[in-house]
Amino acid sequence: MTLLDWTILVLRVALPALILPAIVTPLVWVERRVAAFIQDRPGPNRVGPFGLLQSPADILKLFMKEEVVPTSVDRLLFFLAPGLAVFAALSTFAVIPYGSSITIHGEEVPLIGANVSIGLLYVFAITSISVYAIVLAGWSSNNKFSLMGGIRSSAQIISYELAMTSAAAGVILAAGSFRLNDVVGMQAGTWLGFVPRWNVLVQPLGFLIFFVSAFAETNRLPFDLPEAEAELVAGYHTEYSAMHFGSYFLAEYINVIVASAMTTTLYFGGWSLPGFHPSGILGAVASIAIFAAKTAFFVLIFIWVRWTLPRFRYDQLMTLGWKTLLPLSLVNLFWAAAIEMWRMGAGH
Amino acid sequence: MFEVFAAVAIVFAALMVLSRNPVRSVLSLVVAFFALAGCYVLLFSPFIAVIQVIVYAGAILVLFLFVLMLLNVGPERPEKTGRPIQTLLSGIAIVLFAGFLLSTLRHSGSAAPRALAGEPNVLGRPEALARELFSGYLLHFEAVSILLLSALVGAFVLARRDREPRG
């Protein structure tokens, strides 16, 4: 490998990892302003124009604050857990294609961290690490509220992972590949000249299950039971302060972005758009912009839902996951298989 | 690289056994499984590696951790050493097993990973694996799923048995 190859590799891997945390800062501001709009109040509008500097100020505060560590914590795991949360959140993005491709010295470089054949499975594997970040925080804090949060989260994430994986299996069945670039590729083009070939139109049920499960996997309202402040103080991160608390905050927002990007990729054509054929640097930039716009749309829905729906009760959460979403995801899988059979039959 | 992952797997597997704290034991096993996944990737089998992480680290060990935390199991107390004959027998077993392992390794040589890497690897590609599994090994596959189902039903029956009947 030449120096150029190495540079390209490092940039492909490092850029998303650097950009994601940078997006979180304005995203927190967006969340608070949208929340304020929904609740009919002004929201943060004092620091800088439109209050835009509120988030940077808050982050500075998190870095400068004194770290208070309770005496009875398991120190190794207590400090390992927040790092694990951020690591898991950031590394998921590695297999999501965020743009078409650019040509450097006659070599086509796809805009994706790692174009691996097991893309979607890798995402689910990393999701399973993020469970440990929360469970360990709950256990190592030696606090009953933290422990309750950790236990709740492990049960919740495992339960919804089943429905989520089964829903995504429908897409994999249709694409015939775990590679997320192939999933984007199969959604290019149109039916009847104007209807985009997005998976959401073929498997609307699968999309619904995937998106609802994504709320549970990211611990967002209405499924934020691991940190339900009315019952558990702050759940699994009760004992964390300063930037270690900030790490969980950061991981949650990155997870929201990643879940939105996954929804975009699996069900809404990723960076592609009907009638759009990217070429050259401009085309690549346009494809990134398309991807970013679609992802931003779902991030906004995440925020919208958070300030609209109240929190579920724990038994309701479990009933929804096991008795509604899981059977429905199997129905979706049969539907996807039937469509695929019909398509193969029509091809002959 | 393979040696690094293998060493990490062995060290953490040993830590799993030696650790007094059950939660630390589970976590050591998680690290060992990840190292093992790294070994699989280097053997050109990313599919097996990812499935290994999803199934073992992601599902089974999380459930272990869940139960440990729910029961709030404290650190184990060191047991009093049993009769000297036990120590002697376990010592002999360890020596025998180590000898057996070494002789097997010497016969097959360390070339095993390289030979695997050269082959058109069936386990590496999901499509090929699925084709094998659902054609040549279909009966075995279905038999295993029925075995798992019966285990599930068995666990359910055992868990329900000592509960009083309603009404």
Side-chain angles (χ1 to χ4, degrees), chain A residues 63-82:
Chain A
F63 271 111
M64 308 294 261
K65 270 184 97 163
E66 184 191 355
E67 173 100 47
V68 182
V69 183
T71 40
S72 56
V73 301
D74 185 323
R75 291 187 76 90
L76 173 71
L77 300 178
F78 187 76
F79 291 119
L80 183 73

Side-chain angles (χ1 to χ4, degrees), chain A residues 201-216:
Chain A
L201 299 174
V202 189
Q203 302 177 18
L205 186 62
F207 158 69
L208 203 65
I209 296 164
F210 186 87
F211 200 52
V212 170
S213 306
F215 281 85

Side-chain angles (χ1 to χ4, degrees), chain A residues 311-326:
Chain A
R311 182 179 300 129
F312 274 42
R313 245 181 18 234
Y314 200 67
D315 58 318
Q316 293 172 328
L317 173 90
M318 283 298 163
T319 311
L320 179 71
W322 287 99
K323 294 189 181 164
T324 310
L325 291 184
L326 189 60

Side-chain angles (χ1 to χ4, degrees), chain A residues 22 143 243:
Chain A
N143 171 324
M243 203 49 211

Side-chain angles (χ1 to χ4, degrees), chain A residues 42 91 118-119 193 219 257 271 300 303 305 328:
Chain A
S91 43
I118 45 156
N219 292 322
I257 298 174
W271 48 263
L300 273 179
I303 295 174
V305 167
L328 281 180

Side-chain angles (χ1 to χ4, degrees), chain A residues 102-319:
Chain A
I102 47 175
T103 313
I104 300 171
H105 282 268
E107 203 180 328
E108 203 182 359
V109 182
L111 290 177
I112 177 174
N115 197 7
V116 289
S117 62
I118 45 156
L120 189 71
L121 288 176
Y122 168 86
V123 173
F124 287 125
I126 296 290
T127 316
S128 57
I129 304 181
S130 63
V131 186
Y132 285 101
I134 294 178
V135 171
L136 286 186
W139 183 79
S140 66
S141 297
N142 208 353
N143 171 324
K144 44 174 98 64
F145 295 116
S146 302
L147 187 67
M148 280 305 293
I151 289 176
R152 276 185 181 187
S153 111
S154 59
Q156 171 178 333
I157 294 184
I158 289 179
S159 305
Y160 278 76
E161 218 168 46
L162 284 172
M164 196 180 202
T165 324
S166 313
V171 172
I172 298 309
L173 192 69
S177 165
F178 288 110
R179 199 185 293 270
L180 289 174
N181 245 343
D182 294 347
V183 174
V184 173
M186 67 157 289
Q187 298 180 74
T190 53
W191 288 298
L192 306 170
F194 66 97
V195 185
R197 299 176 75 99
W198 290 347
N199 281 327
V200 63
L201 299 174
V202 189
Q203 302 177 18
L205 186 62
F207 158 69
L208 203 65
I209 296 164
F210 186 87
F211 200 52
V212 170
S213 306
F215 281 85
E217 294 282 307
T218 50
N219 292 322
R220 290 278 296 192
L221 264 169
F223 302 133
D224 68 336
L225 286 120
E227 46 176 297
E229 66 269 14
E231 315 154 28
L232 297 182
V233 188
Y236 60 91
H237 54 48
T238 304
E239 297 292 0
Y240 284 91
S241 50
M243 203 49 211
H244 282 107
F245 163 74
S247 302
Y248 279 108
F249 204 69
L250 181 69
E252 178 184 325
Y253 280 91
I254 295 175
N255 279 330
V256 167
I257 298 174
V258 168
S260 306
M262 281 298 295
T263 311
T264 304
T265 308
L266 290 180
Y267 293 98
F268 288 85
W271 48 263
S272 69
L273 208 63
F276 168 71
H277 303 288
S279 62
I281 288 288
L282 265 180
V285 172
S287 70
I288 294 178
I290 290 169
F291 177 75
K294 286 179 181 175
T295 304
F297 175 75
F298 287 107
V299 172
L300 273 179
I301 291 190
F302 262 95
I303 295 174
W304 188 8
V305 167
R306 173 173 177 185
W307 298 105
T308 308
L309 295 178
R311 182 179 300 129
F312 274 42
R313 245 181 18 234
Y314 200 67
D315 58 318
Q316 293 172 328
L317 173 90
M318 283 298 163
T319 311

